[in-house]
Amino acid sequence: MVNIQFRAYFSIQHLKSAYLLGIESKKLEELDLTNICGSEKNDLISRNLAFVTGSLFASVSFLEATIREVICDIIDTKDRTLNIPTKDRDSVVVDWNKKSRDSLERLSILNKYQRTLSILNKVTFDSGSEIFIDLINVIEVRNALIHYTPEDYSIHSPFVSEINNQHALTEYLDGKFEHSVFFERTGNPFFPDKCLGYGFSRWTLENSIKFVNEFHNKIGLKPIYKQITEDIKL
């Protein structure tokens, strides 16, 4: 009997999912909506939200899966991580297996990246940089949707500036990407209505890929998803 072992990297599927779902949103937002109204428009809005939220969840899952896969490859001395010095590899093993609350495994997504870089004696990300704060807010959007708490928002004339009763994420995110075409000329609140469109899913995926690429550059590893990102046309 022959026993063949291989390691599956699901970060690749998360990346593909984020891209493909985003493209489906793009197709909907490029439709001519001039004569579409009522239940037909509501159905398109629901479908668009499904694609955008799915793309968001997949992008954040890509971030989480990638750092876990790299850590596990370091621990298991996979070929792709042979450039990691043994002493640094051993430090990752110890920190990953610690039972304390601040062990590497228990840290938040972005802090896993930071701690891994620190253990490997590499320069960490500037926590005040735009991309780092962008991804903090991306994860906050994901958390706000997964742990959704109903709130009251104001709906006003699209020609009137309205800053009352807006979600806490609005101040940072509004202006970072194009609004959903289904709500861009309405008085609906930025979050969730105007935020959750193709512009947001594209911005989220672009920043996720950029961040993870920079992480790989810092530790001198070739990304296993490199071919996928080369084929992606956002």
Side-chain angles (χ1 to χ4, degrees):
M1 181 180 292
V2 177
N3 181 24
I4 299 176
Q5 292 184 329
F6 67 95
R7 173 158 290 179
Y9 295 96
F10 212 79
S11 60
I12 295 174
Q13 183 56 53
H14 288 313
L15 179 60
K16 289 179 179 178
S17 296
Y19 170 66
L20 293 172
L21 288 165
I23 290 301
E24 291 304 310
S25 171
K26 181 181 181 182
K27 291 177 183 177
L28 291 182
E29 295 203 8
E30 289 178 342
L31 293 174
D32 182 358
L33 304 175
T34 306
N35 298 314
I36 298 178
C37 59
S39 61
E40 184 179 4
K41 185 173 183 178
N42 287 335
D43 178 63
L44 290 177
I45 290 173
S46 293
R47 289 172 58 196
N48 197 45
L49 278 173
F51 294 139
V52 173
T53 55
S55 180
L56 164 65
F57 296 160
S59 287
V60 177
S61 296
F62 165 66
L63 289 171
E64 175 78 29
T66 297
I67 185 59
R68 285 178 168 270
E69 289 167 356
V70 170
I71 291 170
C72 288
D73 279 356
I74 291 173
I75 291 172
D76 297 336
T77 322
K78 292 297 181 183
D79 288 346
R80 64 187 291 251
T81 62
L82 289 178
N83 67 311
I84 307 294
T86 301
K87 63 181 181 61
D88 293 338
R89 191 184 301 278
D90 291 342
S91 296
V92 172
V93 173
V94 170
D95 207 54
W96 182 256
N97 292 324
K98 280 196 320 185
K99 301 299 181 183
S100 61
R101 183 175 296 177
D102 67 342
S103 68
L104 182 56
E105 184 175 13
R106 292 171 181 252
L107 294 178
S108 65
I109 297 173
L110 297 184
N111 282 334
K112 282 187 177 70
Y113 283 90
Q114 295 286 66
R115 177 74 70 84
T116 302
L117 289 170
S118 180
I119 293 173
L120 299 180
N121 298 304
K122 305 298 183 181
V123 177
T124 57
F125 288 93
D126 177 0
S127 59
S129 64
E130 183 176 11
I131 189 170
F132 200 87
I133 298 175
D134 283 349
L135 288 179
I136 287 175
N137 281 272
V138 163
I139 294 170
E140 284 297 315
V141 174
R142 190 281 303 264
N143 292 343
L145 295 177
I146 292 215
H147 308 290
Y148 188 76
T149 301
E151 297 183 35
D152 294 330
Y153 303 111
S154 297
I155 295 181
H156 55 87
S157 166
F159 306 105
V160 176
S161 176
E162 176 62 68
I163 60 174
N164 296 324
N165 298 328
Q166 294 292 307
H167 194 278
L169 290 163
T170 300
E171 183 177 358
Y172 183 81
L173 290 175
D174 196 5
K176 288 282 186 176
F177 43 82
E178 294 181 354
H179 291 175
S180 166
V181 300
F182 294 101
F183 295 104
E184 61 181 344
R185 294 183 179 85
T186 72
N188 290 55
F190 170 77
F191 186 86
D193 296 343
K194 293 179 179 178
C195 175
L196 299 180
Y198 170 66
F200 173 68
S201 65
R202 174 178 177 173
W203 178 80
T204 294
L205 182 55
E206 286 178 335
N207 278 296
S208 298
I209 293 172
K210 181 180 177 181
F211 179 84
V212 176
N213 281 346
E214 187 172 344
F215 170 77
H216 280 81
N217 287 336
K218 285 175 178 288
I219 62 176
L221 290 187
K222 179 181 178 180
I224 57 174
Y225 55 81
K226 184 174 176 59
Q227 184 59 51
I228 305 301
T229 56
E230 289 178 351
D231 294 337
I232 285 178
K233 301 293 187 292
L234 295 170

